[in-house]
Amino acid sequence: MSGGVALQAILSGLALGTAYGLIAMGFSLVYRLTGVISFAHGDLVVGGVFIGVLVVLGTTPVAAALDMVHSVGLAVLIVAAGAALSAGVYLVAVRPFLPGVGHRSTRGDVLGWVAGGLAAGLLIREVLGLVLTQDAYAVPDPLRLGSLTPSGVLQLPGGETVSVRALGVIGIGLAVGILVERLLVLTSVGTAMKAVSEDPTAAALLGLPVRRLVLVAFVVAGALAGLAGLLISPDRSLGVDDGVVLGLKAMAAALVGGLGSVRGALAGGLALGVIESFVVASSVLGPHYADVVPLTILLIVLALGRRGLRSPLREDPE
């Protein structure tokens, strides 16, 4: 693999990895406060995108150029739909099975939230499938990042090209991811969430609104999932069932980075995206293995019983 191709793979992988990282941050944030892995989380990505398109455009998705009003409306609604769906998943499918937030007190409770999350994801897919009957759709790009240059690409030193949109996705994804991580560290809400993650019973005795903070965590996680869908969906065809694979890849990223570590989840997503991009560019493996390798990493991490680069429920003190 030449240097130009390697650089192209790295940049493309970082663009893909920022999306994985944003979804993984939601996984880790929710787990950090509740001990719950939200199995519907990948479906929030697809659900937010398709709900936004159906509401703003009033039709099934097509890769059409949008005016400024529709672009802004679609971008805002996709993120808002992801947040609203995540809040709904918590209120309907998770909260009833969490009598002690942050503590899985009985086996029945664990089975309850696992079943609830899986059922919520299935419900999202089934409802969308009633309207969106094709296997995949082309989604419009409300950010229009590719229009920053006439050709939509930049020339790399080795003669290869990279999409301008990919660079924009990297910039936006990293900026939002770092901003959210910093807000969780520096703000009073973030401090309260940390207290809940460390000892929810003590936090409740101190007067912290534990369940409200958990709801906020789900809303933030859903908004990040919606943003991830907004960033990557225009670059690929998107189907109703694609949320399952996206969720598993993001779970792998969260586990590699340390389940419960928001910062580690973003780093794990970037690493996973670069690995997947090199697999696609490889002459030995190729695009057919794009989904196989990340899921293999997930299985290996689970089989080894590893918790990633950081311990769960804790962040670095700085």
Side-chain angles (χ1 to χ4, degrees), residues 76-231:
V76 171
L77 192 56
I78 287 175
V79 176
L85 285 173
S86 185
V89 168
Y90 167 68
L91 293 172
V92 175
V94 175
R95 179 171 174 168
F97 303 104
L98 291 172
V101 175
H103 294 284
R104 292 166 285 185
S105 56
T106 68
R107 181 179 177 86
D109 294 330
V110 175
L111 294 177
W113 61 251
V114 169
L118 292 172
L122 180 61
L123 178 61
I124 292 172
R125 294 195 297 274
E126 290 299 320
V127 171
L128 289 175
L130 295 175
V131 180
L132 305 167
T133 57
Q134 298 181 24
D135 291 336
Y137 292 86
V139 177
D141 182 10
L143 299 180
R144 297 185 289 185
L145 296 174
S147 63
L148 297 178
T149 63
S151 62
V153 297
L154 289 178
Q155 196 79 20
L156 296 178
E160 304 293 335
T161 61
V162 63
S163 167
V164 174
R165 191 179 193 285
L167 300 178
V169 167
I170 295 171
I172 294 174
L174 287 179
V176 172
I178 293 171
L179 175 63
V180 170
E181 190 274 336
R182 287 290 88 193
L183 289 175
L184 290 173
V185 172
L186 300 175
T187 64
S188 58
V189 173
T191 302
M193 286 184 175
K194 183 178 181 181
V196 172
S197 73
E198 293 176 344
D199 192 334
T201 302
L205 291 175
L206 290 173
L208 293 178
V210 175
R211 292 192 179 276
R212 192 180 306 167
L213 288 168
V214 174
L215 176 59
V216 171
F218 270 83
V219 169
V220 172
L224 290 173
L227 177 60
L230 174 65
L231 292 177

Side-chain angles (χ1 to χ4, degrees), residues 295-312:
L295 298 183
T296 301
I297 292 174
L298 172 60
L299 290 176
I300 292 173
V301 173
L302 291 174
L304 294 177
R306 297 179 65 85
R307 292 185 171 181
L309 304 177
R310 304 176 191 275
S311 60

Side-chain angles (χ1 to χ4, degrees), residues 20 236 245 249 276 279-280 286-296:
Y20 293 161
R236 59 174 65 194
V245 176
K249 289 181 179 181
E276 182 176 328
V279 168
V280 172
H288 295 297
Y289 287 85
D291 293 337
V292 174
V293 172
L295 298 183
T296 301

